[in-house]
């Protein structure tokens, strides 16, 4: 929101946020029921802020946009319902390479946050493109939101460029090195030096586990077998979520800033479907050929992979989707919200039960991480030693 002004100063009536007189809210809401007016979003009922669509209340006269005399918008203006108008600004930021430098483009001209833009090119640091006049403070957020906000050891007012992957889990593609089941990439750090930064802590090779490798004369895992999707939201996962390779992911649900999600590593019970399906195979291809019964058989043959993931991450609580639950119960004891695996018992909840047991799951998720800890950053010199050790 920016550029607050009076209704008589508005000239386009596009991307508008109205601040209404809350004493006239009832009349405002009555008029919004008319077919020429629409509320897209109530931003704050308490403050009378609404993002609106009033396109049908206007018409173009020459090069000007004017309000139709018989429209709902005209009545709101005449009756003093609209106190102020803000322009709603798009948060999208573009980057282009021009004259040997990155040039940024964006719609907004002010925002209450320090905003950094990561260029498309991994070798470049994120650039600070907005310095707020009145920065939002963390203590202005509700307590529940404050605990979800990551902390980084810098002052934004002092850093023009930053490497966010230096402090928080980030996935990126560059010169990749695999060490101890983790993927690392060479990046420039905030101080300008280079080092290898973890880009995926769940890069465990499935080949040693695969029951079918001799059958197909495999030398290593290839793109012929479908790779199943996984999500790593933290390098200290206290929540292990197990899903079926055939589960359909709701992207909006996955990326939500949820306390449980931010403590979760989400894994399919098989990281690969061990049946060659042709180059660049996808799970959708496997689903047409590999029946649920075959998938269950593959899991029972290769369950040591999942057991080793329990050893690797040693979660505080386990969440299982319904499809995975039906398969896991063929191998393990899953009763009374407990899964017993590799001689250890873990609290267990179905994905459909998360809201019912949210408080308990959050309490467990908030207990310190107890799994294996992997270095987040490895110097170039140390990486050379580790790579040499791997070759030996």
């Amino acid at each position: 929101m920016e550029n607050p002004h009076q209704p008589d100063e508005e000239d386009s009536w596009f991307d508008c946020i109205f601040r209404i007189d809350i004493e006239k809210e009832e009349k405002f809401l009555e008029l919004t029921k008319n077919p020429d007016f629409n509320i897209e979003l109530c931003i704050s009922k308490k403050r009378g802020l609404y993002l609106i669509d009033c396109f049908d209340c206007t018409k173009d006269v020459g090069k000007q946009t004017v309000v139709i005399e018989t429209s709902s918008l005209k009545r709101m203006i005449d009756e003093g319902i609209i106190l102020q108008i803000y322009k709603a600004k798009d948060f999208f930021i573009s980057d282009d390479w021009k004259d040997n430098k990155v040039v940024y483009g964006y719609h907004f001209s002010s925002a209450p946050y320090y905003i950094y833009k990561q260029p498309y090119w991994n070798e470049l640091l994120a650039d600070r493109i907005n310095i707020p006049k009145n920065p939002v403070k963390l203590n202005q957020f509700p307590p529940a939101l404050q605990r979800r906000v990551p902390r980084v050891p810098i002052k934004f007012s002092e850093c023009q460029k930053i490497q966010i992957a230096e402090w928080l889990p980030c996935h990126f593609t560059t010169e990749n090195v695999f060490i101890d089941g983790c993927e690392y990439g060479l990046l420039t750090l905030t101080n300008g030096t280079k080092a290898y930064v973890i880009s995926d802590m769940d890069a465990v090779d499935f080949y040693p586990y695969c029951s079918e490798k001799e059958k197909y004369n495999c030398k290593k895992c290839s793109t012929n077998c479908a790779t199943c999707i996984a999500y790593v939201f933290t390098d200290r996962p206290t929540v292990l979520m197990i899903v079926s390779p055939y589960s359909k992911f709701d992207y909006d649900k996955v990326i939500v800033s949820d306390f449980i999600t931010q403590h979760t590593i989400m894994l399919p019970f098989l990281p690969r479907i061990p049946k060659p399906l042709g180059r660049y195979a996808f799970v959708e291809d496997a689903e047409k050929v590999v029946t649920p019964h075959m998938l269950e058989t593959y899991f029972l043959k290769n369950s040591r992979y999942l057991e080793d993931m329990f050893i690797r991450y040693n979660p505080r609580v386990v969440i299982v989707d319904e499809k995975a639950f039906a398969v896991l119960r063929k191998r393990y004891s899953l009763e009374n919200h407990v899964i017993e695996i590799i001689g250890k018992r873990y609290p267990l909840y179905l994905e459909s039960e998360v809201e019912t047991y949210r408080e308990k799951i959050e309490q467990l998720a908030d207990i310190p991480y107890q799994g294996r800890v992997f270095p987040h950053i490895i110097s170039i010199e140390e990486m050379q030693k580790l790579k040499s050790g791997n070759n030996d």
Side-chain angles (χ1 to χ4, degrees):
M1 294 172 54
E2 65 182 46
N3 186 28
H5 54 278
Q6 300 300 309
D8 59 3
E9 298 175 290
E10 177 60 37
D11 55 9
S12 68
W13 298 101
F14 184 72
D15 283 339
C16 289
I17 295 172
F18 286 0
R19 182 169 74 84
I20 68 165
D21 184 342
I22 56 177
E23 293 184 359
K24 299 179 181 179
E25 179 189 48
E26 185 175 346
K27 183 62 176 178
F28 170 73
L29 294 176
E30 180 183 331
L31 288 170
T32 62
K33 295 176 183 178
N34 294 335
D36 64 347
F37 198 96
N38 182 53
I39 295 176
E40 293 188 350
L41 176 69
C42 175
I43 297 172
S44 172
K45 185 177 177 67
K46 178 182 177 180
R47 294 175 172 82
L49 293 171
Y50 294 86
L51 176 65
I52 58 87
D53 173 9
C54 59
F55 177 80
D56 291 338
C57 295
T58 65
K59 63 180 180 180
D60 291 333
V61 178
K63 295 183 178 181
Q64 289 186 317
T65 300
V66 299
V67 178
I68 298 172
E69 288 293 326
T70 57
S71 67
S72 302
L73 176 58
K74 177 63 173 173
R75 289 186 61 184
M76 291 181 188
I77 295 171
D78 290 345
E79 296 181 28
I81 294 173
I82 305 169
L83 298 179
Q84 214 164 28
I85 297 174
Y86 294 84
K87 299 307 292 184
K89 291 296 184 175
D90 191 358
F91 198 66
F92 178 78
I93 305 167
S94 65
D95 56 357
D96 295 293
W97 187 259
K98 294 180 180 178
D99 300 325
N100 293 318
K101 65 179 181 179
V102 182
V103 178
Y104 299 102
Y106 40 93
H107 191 203
F108 58 90
S109 59
S110 64
Y113 305 100
Y114 289 95
I115 299 173
Y116 289 80
K117 166 64 176 173
Q118 170 62 47
Y120 173 81
W121 305 272
N122 280 336
E123 62 270 21
L124 301 178
L125 295 174
D127 258 318
R128 187 183 62 198
I129 64 169
N130 189 73
I131 300 177
K133 295 177 180 178
N134 298 292
V136 167
K137 306 296 184 184
L138 188 59
N139 61 14
Q140 292 177 263
F141 294 163
L145 180 57
Q146 287 186 34
R147 68 175 183 162
R148 299 206 312 244
V149 177
R151 274 73 160 175
V152 293
I154 60 169
K155 290 184 176 181
F156 298 131
S157 59
E158 298 175 358
C159 288
Q160 173 61 42
K161 297 177 181 288
I162 63 172
Q163 177 55 263
I164 194 66
E166 189 174 337
W167 306 294
L168 299 172
C170 295
H171 186 72
F172 53 90
T173 303
T174 177
E175 177 190 329
N176 299 322
V177 178
F178 295 88
I179 298 291
D180 205 8
C182 297
E183 182 179 8
Y184 290 85
L186 186 62
L187 288 181
T188 301
L189 304 183
T190 301
N191 64 8
T193 63
K194 287 184 177 290
Y196 285 88
V197 180
I198 196 166
S199 62
D200 187 1
M201 72 178 294
D202 182 56
V204 177
D205 188 4
F206 181 63
Y207 181 79
Y209 299 95
C210 184
S211 62
E212 313 301 302
K213 58 189 175 187
E214 293 181 5
K215 175 180 177 181
Y216 297 114
N217 297 314
C218 300
K219 302 301 180 184
K220 61 179 182 178
C221 286
S222 71
T223 55
N224 292 315
C225 291
T227 300
C228 306
I229 196 164
Y231 291 97
V232 181
F233 297 98
T234 171
D235 56 5
R236 298 290 189 273
T238 53
V239 180
L240 174 59
M241 184 171 183
I242 306 170
V243 298
S244 164
Y246 292 166
S247 293
K248 304 303 179 185
F249 289 90
D250 181 340
Y251 185 69
D252 289 335
K253 180 179 178 182
V254 168
I255 65 169
V256 68
S257 296
D258 176 84
F259 183 77
I260 295 174
T261 302
Q262 291 188 338
H263 288 75
T264 295
I265 182 168
M266 183 185 298
L267 306 177
F269 56 69
L270 278 176
R272 282 179 174 265
I273 299 176
K275 182 177 179 62
L277 299 166
R279 191 156 180 80
Y280 302 117
F282 295 95
V283 172
E284 291 79 6
D285 302 321
E287 197 169 3
K288 298 173 185 176
V289 178
V290 180
T291 66
H293 176 71
M294 291 170 63
L295 193 67
E296 178 183 307
T297 301
Y298 283 139
F299 169 72
L300 294 175
K301 287 182 178 180
N302 298 281
S303 56
R304 190 169 63 86
Y305 163 79
L306 185 63
E307 292 166 4
D308 279 358
M309 295 307 98
F310 269 84
I311 294 172
R312 182 179 177 92
Y313 301 118
N314 198 13
R316 297 291 185 175
V317 60
V318 180
I319 298 174
V320 183
D321 78 354
E322 279 68 11
K323 290 182 180 179
F325 184 84
V327 174
L328 266 59
R329 68 188 309 175
K330 303 286 185 178
R331 171 74 75 186
Y332 309 111
S333 170
L334 289 77
E335 296 180 355
N336 301 319
H337 289 114
V338 171
I339 179 172
E340 186 170 338
I341 183 170
I342 53 174
K344 189 170 180 179
R345 293 162 61 86
Y346 297 88
L348 173 89
Y349 297 92
L350 288 173
E351 184 182 18
S352 59
E353 298 177 315
V354 169
E355 289 310 313
T356 302
Y357 296 98
R358 171 169 290 278
E359 184 176 354
K360 179 61 177 176
I361 296 172
E362 288 193 358
Q363 289 174 356
L364 292 167
D366 209 20
I367 300 174
Y369 176 63
Q370 60 182 355
R372 290 187 59 189
V373 176
F374 303 95
H376 190 77
I377 296 176
I378 299 176
S379 68
I380 294 176
E381 295 76 18
E382 184 61 26
M383 183 60 79
Q384 291 301 325
K385 294 178 184 177
L386 292 171
K387 288 196 291 186
S388 298
N390 276 2
N391 292 336
D392 294 341

